[in-house]
């Protein structure tokens, strides 16, 4: 009996499986993967190197329940707010984990298939996906110790009995890279005796064992559910730690990259418009490897941007920011960067390794502490505590300078930071609190006992409406940032893959040139990163003499191409030879 030749999809899938599971029947496992995903083996491969985004793409990062209104599901409240207030300036919503959880504000998932009833239901998620691209978190490295899977593990029944990574407490695990200070292993009583399970993050977050292909199959089932509910962008949370081999660092292992390629293969064959984003809060050069050969992540987080940009704005010196950006390779077509300054977590410090000196890092940390920030640490392989992240709201992080402390330039500094992020190569992502200028929430820190709660404020919708409709700094921030986003989304030179060159204009002025993919629009972005007026000559920018140049921020036209420009503290210009048409609200 002759067997039908294997399809291209089957061959590619088997190649990944062979590297991950060399002793198993790869053909049978491939068949199981495809049937679990409801995927026809004859499905054609999507064309590679497609840009699934353009300059109009801007992401909002938020918890499902950040906005609350009495008598309404938080997901419904969020959808109504985004649709009525932000449709003109964002295209995508990153919903942080919205499942039942036991700790870590959602990242200890108890049930991957259910929406937390306190936030809403799947219909709310699907409804949001009809108006915006929705990114969901795939918390793939670990799950809650209170999940059904872990209860089954302790009882010795499936699914779950073989789902978690066990280790010998006497093994040499000194090389393991950790993002936390808690002990790596947790002792657990099971039906078969005492076991030690691997916990990269906390003892409530038990690491899954992807050496067991049943775990892969289970996650394919989960991903398919998310796709069916309208989710098209996938954030692979903490994915760098996915595969473990005792005696190694257990981070960024080849099998981890192979697993990402496999998941991307499956997802993009099911939904060619789907996008994979890897969350890898690690040193910059390691982070870049998650692009693969344009066959792993479509987008990677620009984790070095928040600490370097904030450092530039509080010190008035942008040299490190420039040097880092000059070292960043232009992303291949079909890949790009996700730019952000603030998130639900803190300002990561590992991405500054090799970029800031110890003295500069200490100055940054002390400045943030002065502005109300907290410091979280991690344990190094040598057992030493090392700064891991600064926990602070972006509004407070930019409340002053390192040398003077709090000052009158907080708003200008804040808007300058937003203006930098919007203009850089990549897709900008705004944490919801960065749209409101939300302050440090010390009360929430006291209530939860966790430093990260400082930037996870819950807004009552009536209070937020009042803050946005009266003369407050919240109103000023919201109106200014959203107006700037409307301008940004209309400029072809801000396409995530448009050309970018860093300009050299001294340590106080941060500047770069962007050019649209069709080369018709050129745009020079120049920022004063200091609390003093700064001057430059337009002759330094090599403006095309035959074009009319307009600052898209102030709408001022510059007819004298050799003239002198003065930028007030933290002021910036977007000088363009053509103006994109801004859509009406």
């Amino acid at each position: 009996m002759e067997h039908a030749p294997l399809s291209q999809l089957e061959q590619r899938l088997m190649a990944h499986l062979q590297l991950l599971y060399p002793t198993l029947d790869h053909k049978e496992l491939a068949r199981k993967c495809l049937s679990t995903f409801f995927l026809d083996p004859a499905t054609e491969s999507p064309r590679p190197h497609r840009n699934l985004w353009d300059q109009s793409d801007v992401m909002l990062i938020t918890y499902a329940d950040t906005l609350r209104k009495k008598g309404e599901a938080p997901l419904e409240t969020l959808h109504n707010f985004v649709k009525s207030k932000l449709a003109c300036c964002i295209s995508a919503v990153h919903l942080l984990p919205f499942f039942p959880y036991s700790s870590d504000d959602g990242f200890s998932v108890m049930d991957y298939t259910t929406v937390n009833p306190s936030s809403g239901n799947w219909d709310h998620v699907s409804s949001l996906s009809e108006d915006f691209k929705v990114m969901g978190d795939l918390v793939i490295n670990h799950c809650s110790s209170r999940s059904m899977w872990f209860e089954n593990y302790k009882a010795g029944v499936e699914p779950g009995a073989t789902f978690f990574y066990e280790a010998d407490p006497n093994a040499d695990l000194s090389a393991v890279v950790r993002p936390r200070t808690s002990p790596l292993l947790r002792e657990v009583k099971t039906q078969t005796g005492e076991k030690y399970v691997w916990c990269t993050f906390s003892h409530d977050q038990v690491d899954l064992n992807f050496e067991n292909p049943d775990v892969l199959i289970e996650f394919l089932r989960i991903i398919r559910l998310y796709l069916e509910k309208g989710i098209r962008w996938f954030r692979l949370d903490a994915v760098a730690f996915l595969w473990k081999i005792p005696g190694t660092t257990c981070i960024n292992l080849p099998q981890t990259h192979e697993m990402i390629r496999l998941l991307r293969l499956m997802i993009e064959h099911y939904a060619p418009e789907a996008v994979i984003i890897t969350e890898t809060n690690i040193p910059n050069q390691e982070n870049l490897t998650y692009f693969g050969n344009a066959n792993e992540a479509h987008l990677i987080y620009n984790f070095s941007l928040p600490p370097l940009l904030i450092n530039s704005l509080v010190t008035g010196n942008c040299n490190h920011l420039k040097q880092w950006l000059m070292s960043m390779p232009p992303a291949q077509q079909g890949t790009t960067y996700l730019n952000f300054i603030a998130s639900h977590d803190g300002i990561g410090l590992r991405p500054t390794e090799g970029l800031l000196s110890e003295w500069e890092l200490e100055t940054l940390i002390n400045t943030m502490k002065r502005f109300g920030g907290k410091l979280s640490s991690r344990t190094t392989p040598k057992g030493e505590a090392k700064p891991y992240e600064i926990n602070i709201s972006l509004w407070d992080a930019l409340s002053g300078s390192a040398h003077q402390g709090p000052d009158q330039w907080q708003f200008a500094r804040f808007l300058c930071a937003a203006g930098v992020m919007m203009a850089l190569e990549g897709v900008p992502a705004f944490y919801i609190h960065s749209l409101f200028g939300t302050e440090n929430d010390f009360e929430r820190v006291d209530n939860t006992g966790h430093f990260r709660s400082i930037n996870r404020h819950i807004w009552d919708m009536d209070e937020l409406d009042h803050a946005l409709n009266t003369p407050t700094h919240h109103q000023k921030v919201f109106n200014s940032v959203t107006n700037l986003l409307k301008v940004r989304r209309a400029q072809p030179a801000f396409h995530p893959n448009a050309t970018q060159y860093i300009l050299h204009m001294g340590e106080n002025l941060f500047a770069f040139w962007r050019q649209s993919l069709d080369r018709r629009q050129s745009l020079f972005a120049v920022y004063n990163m200091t609390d003093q007026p700064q001057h430059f000559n337009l002759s330094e920018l090599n403006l095309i003499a035959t074009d009319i140049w307009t600052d898209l921020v102030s709408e001022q036209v510059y007819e004298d191409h050799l003239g002198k420009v003065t930028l007030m503290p933290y002021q910036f210009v977007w000088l363009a030879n053509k103006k994109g048409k801004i859509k009406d609200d």
Side-chain angles (χ1 to χ4, degrees):
M1 178 179 175
E2 290 189 14
H3 294 281
L6 295 173
S7 68
Q8 184 186 52
L9 173 56
E10 288 173 304
Q11 291 179 51
R12 292 175 64 188
L13 180 55
M14 286 172 62
H16 294 309
L17 292 169
Q18 188 167 10
L19 288 166
L20 289 167
Y21 308 106
T23 63
L24 299 184
D25 182 339
H26 311 116
K27 188 173 182 180
E28 175 60 23
L29 186 52
R31 183 200 63 77
K32 192 173 182 181
C33 289
L34 292 171
S35 62
T36 300
F37 222 62
F38 295 170
L39 202 53
D40 185 341
T43 303
E44 289 190 18
S45 300
R47 180 172 53 84
H49 300 290
R50 295 167 300 135
N51 289 329
L52 301 169
W53 44 77
D54 63 22
Q55 61 272 15
S56 69
D57 279 302
V58 177
M59 181 176 287
L60 175 72
I61 305 168
T62 181
Y63 281 102
D65 63 349
T66 294
L67 307 181
R68 295 183 185 177
K69 187 174 184 178
K70 191 174 181 180
E72 200 169 78
L75 275 167
E76 185 180 356
T77 304
L78 175 68
H79 188 181
N80 291 337
F81 178 81
V82 175
K83 193 172 181 179
S84 62
K85 299 289 189 181
L86 296 176
C88 59
C89 50
I90 71 157
S91 62
V93 178
H94 172 199
L95 287 178
L96 291 156
F98 48 84
F99 315 103
Y101 68 94
S102 56
S103 65
D104 199 17
D105 284 347
F107 285 91
S108 296
V109 180
M110 295 170 64
D111 181 358
Y112 289 86
T113 63
T114 305
V115 176
N116 194 331
S118 65
S119 294
N121 56 45
W122 277 119
D123 287 343
H124 292 124
V125 176
S126 297
S127 178
L128 181 63
S129 74
E130 292 172 6
D131 293 318
F132 301 91
K133 300 171 184 175
V134 173
M135 180 160 86
D137 260 284
L138 196 64
V139 184
I140 196 169
N141 178 71
H142 51 261
C143 73
S144 168
S145 66
R146 289 173 54 194
S147 64
M148 182 196 73
W149 288 349
F150 198 65
E151 290 300 321
N152 286 353
Y153 167 76
K154 290 186 288 186
V157 297
E158 297 290 2
T162 55
F163 275 25
F164 297 93
Y165 196 88
E166 298 175 350
D168 179 354
N170 298 314
D172 182 5
L173 302 176
S174 60
V176 175
V177 171
R178 298 290 312 291
R180 299 289 185 273
T181 55
S182 57
L184 175 62
L185 302 184
R186 171 188 169 180
E187 186 177 358
V188 182
K189 292 180 180 179
T190 74
Q191 286 291 95
T192 56
E194 300 290 331
K195 303 288 184 181
Y196 291 83
V197 292
W198 195 286
C199 299
T200 297
F201 290 88
S202 80
H203 281 192
D204 187 42
Q205 295 165 300
V206 190
D207 285 36
L208 293 151
N209 180 15
F210 273 86
E211 288 183 22
N212 177 1
D214 290 343
V215 176
L216 167 62
I217 295 298
E218 199 64 45
F219 269 90
L220 289 178
R221 198 171 283 121
I222 291 164
I223 293 168
R224 192 195 73 221
L225 171 67
Y226 296 176
L227 286 162
E228 290 170 352
K229 299 300 184 182
I231 293 171
R232 286 295 179 271
W233 287 41
F234 292 85
R235 176 185 182 269
L236 305 187
D237 175 64
V239 71
F241 302 96
L242 187 71
W243 204 274
K244 286 85 175 165
I245 299 177
T248 73
T249 59
C250 298
I251 188 171
N252 308 323
L253 296 184
Q255 292 89 340
T256 294
H257 288 278
E258 201 65 44
M259 185 63 72
I260 295 169
R261 294 181 198 118
L262 186 155
L263 294 177
R264 171 165 171 171
L265 179 75
M266 299 292 287
I267 291 170
E268 69 180 3
H269 276 77
Y270 186 103
E273 74 279 17
V275 170
I276 305 290
I277 300 180
T278 51
E279 188 269 328
T280 46
N281 190 357
I282 51 181
N284 190 53
Q285 293 306 310
E286 296 173 30
N287 192 31
L288 288 169
T289 65
Y290 283 87
F291 277 141
N293 186 24
N295 61 350
E296 292 186 33
H298 293 88
L299 286 84
I300 62 171
Y301 281 82
N302 243 341
F303 276 109
S304 296
L305 179 60
L308 292 181
L309 178 53
I310 291 169
N311 183 70
S312 295
L313 286 164
V314 299
T315 63
N317 186 324
C318 65
N319 281 342
H320 290 307
L321 183 64
K322 283 194 299 186
Q323 289 166 6
W324 164 66
L325 280 168
M326 286 189 293
S327 74
M328 294 290 281
Q332 291 187 56
Q333 297 296 313
T335 67
T336 193
Y337 299 101
L338 189 73
N339 295 323
F340 71 108
I341 323 171
S343 75
H344 62 290
D345 289 339
I347 302 165
L349 298 178
R350 284 211 73 204
T352 67
E353 291 177 14
L355 301 173
L356 294 181
S357 69
E358 285 199 17
W359 177 83
E360 289 166 325
L361 184 59
E362 186 177 347
T363 300
L364 176 62
I365 291 170
N366 289 336
T367 303
M368 294 300 102
K369 284 182 176 180
R370 188 176 181 183
F371 300 157
K374 310 292 185 181
L375 180 67
S376 296
S377 299
R378 68 182 180 91
T379 300
T380 68
K382 294 181 180 179
E384 302 166 337
K386 195 168 185 179
Y388 180 69
E389 68 179 16
I390 300 166
N391 304 109
I392 192 170
S393 78
L394 184 62
W395 175 252
D396 285 299
L398 297 173
S399 59
S401 65
H403 58 283
Q404 295 284 359
D407 59 23
Q408 74 270 40
W409 302 112
Q410 185 174 19
F411 170 76
R413 195 181 285 112
F414 188 90
L415 193 63
C416 183
V420 170
M421 184 182 74
M422 286 185 209
L424 288 172
E425 175 189 356
V427 174
F430 278 86
Y431 186 41
I432 193 166
H433 292 300
S434 299
L435 296 179
F436 308 144
T438 307
E439 303 100 324
N440 290 331
D441 192 335
F442 297 114
E443 183 180 350
R444 193 166 171 81
V445 173
D446 291 339
N447 290 339
T448 65
H450 298 296
F451 287 163
R452 284 179 167 179
S453 297
I454 201 169
N455 198 25
R456 296 178 180 179
H457 181 71
I458 301 294
W459 275 100
D460 174 80
M461 218 35 243
D462 291 338
E463 291 180 6
L464 180 61
D465 282 337
H466 179 74
L468 297 183
N469 288 295
T470 53
T472 62
H473 83 267
H474 302 294
Q475 182 192 60
K476 192 175 181 182
V477 166
F478 185 79
N479 290 344
S480 299
V481 172
T482 53
N483 286 335
L484 203 57
L485 278 171
K486 291 177 197 174
V487 174
R488 189 253 184 225
R489 297 182 78 201
Q491 313 309 322
F494 285 149
H495 187 288
N497 295 87
T499 298
Q500 174 176 290
Y501 282 110
I502 305 301
L503 305 178
H504 296 278
M505 299 179 68
E507 65 182 32
N508 302 137
L509 292 173
F510 178 56
F512 50 91
W513 171 63
R514 302 293 307 276
Q515 186 181 57
S516 60
L517 296 176
D518 64 7
R519 299 190 178 184
R520 295 179 63 189
Q521 186 186 42
S522 279
L523 197 154
F524 292 90
V526 186
Y527 304 81
N528 179 359
M529 307 295 277
T530 77
D531 56 8
Q532 300 296 317
Q534 301 292 333
H535 316 280
F536 70 94
N537 295 314
L538 287 174
S539 58
E540 296 178 62
L541 302 182
N542 294 320
L543 304 181
I544 301 170
T546 55
D547 287 344
I548 297 174
W549 293 85
T550 304
D551 172 23
L552 302 178
V553 180
S554 66
E555 298 188 349
Q556 180 179 344
V557 177
Y558 289 84
E559 295 182 355
D560 181 3
H561 295 176
L562 302 177
K564 187 176 184 179
V565 177
T566 297
L567 294 179
M568 297 307 290
Y570 306 104
Q571 184 185 354
F572 60 95
V573 292
W574 288 347
L575 293 174
N577 62 339
K578 296 181 185 298
K579 294 169 63 177
K581 183 173 175 56
I582 299 171
K583 293 181 180 178
D584 296 328
D585 292 359

